[in-house]
C-alpha cells in the first residue's frame, strides 16, 4: 500500500477497479490505462486486503452491488484500514435508490458516486481530482495546517 506523500502525484497512479461485470471491468480498466493509470482489477471486494498488501494502490474505484463482498462492505473495511485512500463508487442501482448516493458519500467516504452508465471522461476527471485532493490534504496535514484526521477521505 502506498501511504500519501507530499509533492506531485505518482507518475503512474495505481488504481484498483472492483467490478463484477467482466465486460464493464475491462472497459473501465482499458480506459484508465489509456489515460495513464496503472490498473489492477478484481471481480469483488473479497481480495482487497490481499491486493493492498501486495502492491501500492492510490485510488479504489468500486461497484456497489457485487457478489461475495459488495462495495458497501468493501468501503466500510477500507475506511477502517486505509482511511486516507480515495474511493470512487459506481452503481446501476443509484437510479432506483437515490438515497444510496448520499449514504455512500457521506457515511462511507466515497469522494464521488457515479450512476451507470456514465461517461468515461467524467470518471477519468474524477480519478485525477480525487488523487490531487488526497495529495493536497496530505501535504496540509504534514505541514500542520489541518489535523491528520481531517486529511482523511
Amino acid at each position: 500500500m502506498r501511504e500519501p506523500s507530499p509533492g506531485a502525484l505518482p507518475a503512474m497512479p495505481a488504481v484498483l477497479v472492483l467490478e463484477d461485470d467482466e465486460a464493464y471491468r475491462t472497459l473501465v480498466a482499458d480506459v484508465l490505462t489509456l489515460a495513464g493509470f496503472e490498473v489492477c482489477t478484481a471481480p469483488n471486494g473479497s481480495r482487497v486486503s490481499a491486493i493492498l498488501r501486495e502492491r501500492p494502490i492510490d485510488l479504489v474505484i468500486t461497484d456497489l452491488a457485487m457478489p461475495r463482498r459488495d462495495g458497501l462492505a468493501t468501503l466500510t473495511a477500507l475506511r477502517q484500514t486505509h482511511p486516507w485512500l480515495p474511493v470512487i463508487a459506481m452503481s446501476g442501482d443509484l437510479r432506483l435508490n437515490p438515497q444510496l448516493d448520499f449514504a455512500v458519500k457521506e457515511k462511507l467516504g466515497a469522494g464521488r458516486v457515479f450512476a451507470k452508465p456514465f461517461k468515461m471522461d467524467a470518471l477519468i476527471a474524477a480519478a485525477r481530482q480525487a488523487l490531487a485532493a488526497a495529495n493536497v490534504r496530505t501535504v496540509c496535514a504534514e505541514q500542520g495546517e489541518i489535523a491528520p484526521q481531517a486529511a482523511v477521505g
Side-chain angles (χ1 to χ4, degrees):
M1 81 199 109
R2 189 181 332 225
E3 293 286 336
S5 60
L9 295 176
M12 194 170 203
V15 179
L16 172 58
V17 176
L18 304 172
E19 169 62 63
D20 61 316
D21 181 309
E22 185 176 356
Y24 210 79
R25 183 173 65 242
T26 300
L27 172 65
V28 171
D30 289 349
V31 166
L32 291 171
T33 300
L34 289 172
F37 295 92
E38 178 184 335
V39 181
C40 171
T41 65
N44 58 56
S46 65
R47 291 206 58 248
V48 168
S49 294
I51 291 168
L52 290 172
R53 281 192 305 271
E54 294 168 5
R55 62 182 302 164
I57 297 294
D58 300 300
L59 171 68
V60 174
I61 299 175
T62 184
D63 187 13
L64 294 176
M66 297 179 288
R68 295 191 65 202
R69 186 173 187 191
D70 69 14
L72 295 174
T74 300
L75 277 169
T76 300
L78 281 173
R79 287 298 146 241
Q80 293 172 4
T81 61
H82 297 78
W84 51 265
L85 188 62
V87 175
I88 295 173
M90 56 186 175
S91 179
D93 294 338
L94 291 178
R95 296 183 198 288
L96 302 175
N97 185 358
Q99 291 300 325
L100 184 60
D101 182 14
F102 173 78
V104 171
K105 280 189 205 172
E106 297 299 319
K107 296 184 179 183
L108 297 175
R112 185 81 188 268
V113 181
F114 285 94
K116 293 181 195 171
F118 51 84
K119 294 186 178 198
M120 291 297 158
D121 58 341
L123 179 64
I124 292 166
R128 289 183 177 141
Q129 183 180 18
L131 290 164
N135 191 50
V136 167
R137 284 191 301 270
T138 300
V139 170
C140 289
E142 288 178 355
Q143 293 175 356
E145 296 174 19
I146 58 175
Q149 294 86 351
V152 172

